[in-house]
Amino acid sequence: MSRARPPPLVTGISPKEGPAWTKVTIRGENLGTGPADLIGLSICGHNCLLTAEWMSASKIVCRVGPAKDDKGEINVTTKSGGLGTSTVSFKLLKPERIGILDQSAVWVDEMNYYDMRTDRNKGLSPLSLRPSNPLGIDIDKGKIPQNDMEQTFPGMSGDFTSENFSATWYLMENHSGTSFEQLKIAANNLKKQANKKNEGSLAYVKGGLSTFFEAQDALSAIHQKLESDGTEKVEGSMTQRLENILNRASDTADTLFQEVLGRKDKADSTRNALNVLQRFKFLFNLPLNIERNIQKGDYDVVINDYEKAKSLFGNTEVPVFKKVYSEVETRINALRSLLLEKLLQTPSTLHDQKRYIRYLSDLHAPGDPAWQCIYAQHKWILQLMQNCRDEFISGQRVGVGALELEGDTRSSALSRLGHTSSLKRGGSLRTPRPSTWRSETPQQVQFVEKLSDVVIGQLPNFWKLWISYVNGSLFSETGEKSGQVEKSKKNARQRQNDFKKMIEEVTNRLVKLVRGALLIGTLPPHEQSLYGGWENKTELTGQWMTQIIHTVRCCHEALSALEIPNDLLQVIQDLLVDLRVQCLVVTLLHTTEDIKRLADKEDWIVDNKGITSLPSQFEQCMVQMLQSLKEPLDIRPGEINVLQVDQVQDQAAELSVKIMKVFINTLDHLSTKTDAEINATRNIAVDLSSPDRFSAIQEDFSPTAEQRLLIILSNCQYLERHTFLNLADHFEKHCFTGTEKITRVSVEAVRELDRQLFEAYIERRADPIAGALEPGIYAGYFDWRDCQAPTGVRNYLKEALVNIIAVHAEVFTVSKDLVPRVLSKIVESVADEMCRLMQCVSSFSKNGALQARLEICALKDAISAYLSSKSNVSFKHALDTLPQLQSGADKKLLEELLNKFKSSMQLQLTCFQPSSVQPIKR
């Protein structure tokens, strides 16, 4: 017996993969007539019927249970159709491990997070549950000794769970041999982990919405159960009972510890009595204790003991006490000298400087330690900057001696940059460099970046130390008024001008060092020897100048973020103006040289517009130049528009015009090159994929001198009509001034070149054709006064037409647009020559006049499409010199011979008719 319905067929499942208990939607055909008809459902071999929810005959919703198979089919069984089939499969994913601090919508078995390797179930700390490999790539342990790492990174740790974690230490220890590509993958893994943590609770709630509903239902059921059995009415609410229990526990605890608290009060009384007895013992042991605490670095303890002893025995008259107290003073004087030495030692961190200043202040050190520290830091920063320049000049790499800043100082400088809103460089003035950057980058660029790092690494701490000195926070973190704070503020007010001169000296030294490396001509002669010395270094291109401008801008923004007054940073703004102008000039000059070299790239292959790739390369070169100038010419806050300075405007316009003229001169030079020069420098670029190229057919194609003239003429027309207009738009888009002048001068120059090349081509092609007319006419001793009756157009005229056709073909092959212009000029030359020849004839016979009229009319009719007003006048004058036809028979004969001529040369004369067919290009 056949079944009533076809067996079920599963055609889709969504999602197609997931961990156990993933909610899936099954779609297909004949999945049952109702919930009762569904009697079986398995996914990957696991029975999912209990969680199945029949929606329709084509849709079932269920949850996937745990199964042994990682991938399996979906089998649906119905009463009406029996066991079905499936065209899709489901992939069961292993569940991700959930940490004890992660959110989860389901209950997690916590036994997995206990250490089973020991006898006791010792719970692991949350930090130990973090992944052992946070980067997610293979670990490559380095061979760097642990002692070297600790010396290189004092106070830091390579353990990423530590508060003093150093990423550099971790990478050197675990990934010293890892490739850059693997590190990029690791960075992406960290970003994914961060994004996953930042998704928030919304995605978590959405994923476990059903679990929340189940928990809510369970709590409601418990609440209803408690209300239904009446427990709360008899014994009170659950919270009330809990409060009573806690109150009883509190009373019991007070009873238990009452005796202990009493003993504590007695112990305090006894201790106070012993302190009084130990007072004199404290004084006798104080010199030794001071020595020990100084060796351990516990200066706070020493200061507290000294203040205590001073208050007790400072004014004593007992000889023994006075002798011991004088020894204490000797130790304290030695401590003052030690702290002052540490304070003036460089390099040091701002935290250490503040600490030593407070110690010296608490010890009542003579003089002003804070100002001494500021002065020493100022001298050290200037020395660092000068050392940076000297080491680069001598050819050494920066990275030895004083320029290697301590890790704490360097990292703090970079962290300050990272928190500066105006800098979006991730806490560094420089982007990550490839391994070959040092060898490829000019010394001046490396010097400016290293010099900027020195200033940014030291000047912020220097400025903050002064601010702390001004507001008195060096001596009081809470800002409480005291004699020391007021004295500090008074000293700061008196030394404001001195500190301002210090900042000016640092910024001026920075600017002069940069000018000495890049703009030596802007320094006075007596300073050029002090800050110069870069004459033998590589000449910088516009690209490297742009990099330097970016570095100086970042340095200025970082210093501005410290709220240093703008008048102290104005010299840096002035430097930026000169650097931007220099970058503009250098870029334009280098572009001029690049344009000169474009001639070597000319392949003489024309496209369907009749132009080669040279105009496109020229336009591309100019556009790239303007794009490279976008950042240097960009106006940042506080900067001026250098293109609005009259001198810069004139110089930029002059250099831009020079670039245009250089390219036009390049075209002129190409037109005069010999065939040997062309063959020596030609580099044919065959593009088989381009529909506008036909060079693959004639790889050995070498244009003639006349063809080169035509190609350059076509390029000139394209430059005037398209390229120069496009460049004018680009100049205006990049806020260049003088665009009209640049375009006007360029168009005038290209028109002049076009005129010269056109005259040269016409001279080469028209003169031979016109010159061949007279020998052809009088070939075979022909005489107009004594000739036979005409039987047709003579061969000389046909040869002239064929030569004109050859010129037509040559021009048409290069550019269809040049045909009317060239042929009109050639026709004028031929017509003028025919007119001259006719006017030179003294007399015509009847047959001679008829022959001459026949040939002139045949020539005029054949090239009628290219007649100009000048050629029409020439033909008219030629016909006027001939005797008029008197008889009708002569007119009829003339017409018959003309028709015969047109019929016999119909194929040749067709080329003179206008056509829309595009020529095939070489």
Side-chain angles (χ1 to χ4, degrees), residues 543-612:
Q543 179 183 2
W544 292 121
M545 289 297 297
T546 301
Q547 176 67 23
I548 290 174
I549 291 171
H550 175 79
T551 302
V552 176
R553 276 175 168 168
C554 290
C555 181
H556 179 269
E557 291 173 2
L559 298 181
S560 298
L562 298 174
E563 298 182 357
I564 297 178
N566 291 331
D567 58 331
L568 299 180
L569 302 179
Q570 185 59 40
V571 289
I572 302 180
Q573 285 283 17
D574 298 340
L575 172 64
L576 279 171
V577 172
D578 293 342
L579 288 176
R580 291 163 65 197
V581 174
Q582 179 70 9
C583 179
L584 172 63
V585 173
V586 168
T587 302
L588 291 174
L589 291 176
H590 284 197
T591 303
T592 304
E593 298 301 320
D594 294 339
I595 296 300
K596 289 180 181 179
R597 290 189 289 269
L598 286 180
D600 298 334
K601 300 181 181 180
E602 177 59 280
D603 53 13
W604 302 105
I605 302 173
V606 297
D607 60 10
N608 284 339
K609 295 181 180 179
I611 61 172
T612 64

Side-chain angles (χ1 to χ4, degrees), residues 334-348:
L335 177 60
R336 292 191 185 104
S337 301
L338 175 64
L339 292 176
L340 183 60
E341 181 181 353
K342 287 182 174 291
L343 175 63
L344 302 181
Q345 184 180 358
T346 55
S348 62

Side-chain angles (χ1 to χ4, degrees), residues 419-464:
H419 292 295
T420 302
S421 59
S422 60
L423 290 180
K424 301 179 180 178
R425 306 287 295 174
S428 177
L429 288 178
R430 291 173 286 186
T431 55
R433 304 294 191 189
S435 58
T436 59
W437 178 79
R438 283 286 180 192
S439 60
E440 297 174 355
T441 306
Q443 291 285 296
Q444 298 97 313
V445 180
Q446 297 185 42
F447 164 69
V448 173
E449 295 197 352
K450 188 65 180 179
L451 183 65
S452 299
D453 282 349
V454 169
V455 174
I456 295 304
Q458 300 303 316
L459 199 58
N461 284 345
F462 183 63
W463 177 261
K464 291 180 180 179

Side-chain angles (χ1 to χ4, degrees), residues 118-337:
T118 58
D119 293 336
R120 64 181 184 275
N121 292 334
K122 181 180 179 181
L124 302 178
S125 66
L127 293 177
S128 66
L129 297 177
R130 296 183 178 179
S132 59
N133 184 12
L135 298 183
I137 58 177
D138 295 337
I139 295 178
D140 183 8
K141 288 287 186 178
K143 298 182 181 180
I144 304 176
Q146 187 73 15
N147 293 336
D148 293 347
M149 298 295 290
E150 292 177 354
Q151 293 178 3
T152 306
F153 304 98
M156 309 301 289
S157 172
D159 182 6
F160 62 91
T161 62
S162 172
E163 293 183 357
N164 299 325
F165 170 65
S166 171
T168 308
W169 184 337
Y170 180 83
L171 290 176
M172 292 176 64
E173 184 178 24
N174 298 284
H175 298 283
S176 59
T178 305
S179 65
F180 182 67
E181 294 297 328
Q182 287 293 319
L183 292 177
K184 290 170 64 178
I185 295 174
N188 291 330
N189 292 339
L190 289 177
K191 290 180 181 178
K192 290 179 181 179
Q193 293 178 19
N195 293 334
K196 185 176 179 182
K197 291 181 180 179
N198 294 333
E199 287 179 355
S201 300
L202 183 59
Y204 155 71
V205 172
K206 287 182 178 179
L209 194 59
S210 59
T211 306
F212 283 108
F213 289 156
E214 293 172 1
Q216 175 65 25
D217 294 340
L219 291 175
S220 299
I222 293 173
H223 181 67
Q224 292 176 2
K225 185 66 177 176
L226 289 174
E227 287 184 345
S228 62
D229 61 9
T231 304
E232 293 189 0
K233 297 179 181 178
V234 178
E235 299 182 5
S237 66
M238 186 182 300
T239 56
Q240 184 64 41
R241 283 182 288 156
L242 181 60
E243 182 181 2
N244 294 335
I245 293 172
L246 293 176
N247 288 333
R248 290 197 299 271
S250 177
D251 295 338
T252 304
D254 291 340
T255 303
L256 291 174
F257 289 99
Q258 185 173 4
E259 182 180 356
V260 176
L261 295 175
R263 289 199 300 271
K264 178 180 179 300
D265 293 338
K266 291 181 180 180
D268 291 341
S269 301
T270 304
R271 190 178 298 107
N272 292 334
L274 290 175
N275 286 338
V276 175
L277 296 176
Q278 292 292 333
R279 179 179 300 174
F280 300 114
K281 184 179 179 179
F282 160 77
L283 178 62
F284 292 131
N285 292 334
L286 186 57
L288 181 60
N289 290 336
I290 290 177
E291 285 289 343
R292 291 175 178 175
N293 290 326
I294 289 176
Q295 293 178 0
K296 292 189 296 183
D298 294 337
Y299 303 123
D300 289 317
V301 176
V302 175
I303 293 173
N304 291 334
D305 290 346
Y306 173 67
E307 291 292 339
K308 181 178 179 182
K310 185 177 181 180
S311 63
L312 294 175
F313 305 101
N315 298 321
T316 183
E317 297 296 335
V318 179
V320 177
F321 291 167
K322 291 179 67 175
K323 182 178 180 180
V324 175
Y325 186 74
S326 64
E327 187 68 23
V328 171
E329 286 288 353
T330 302
R331 299 287 195 282
I332 294 299
N333 288 331
L335 177 60
R336 292 191 185 104
S337 301

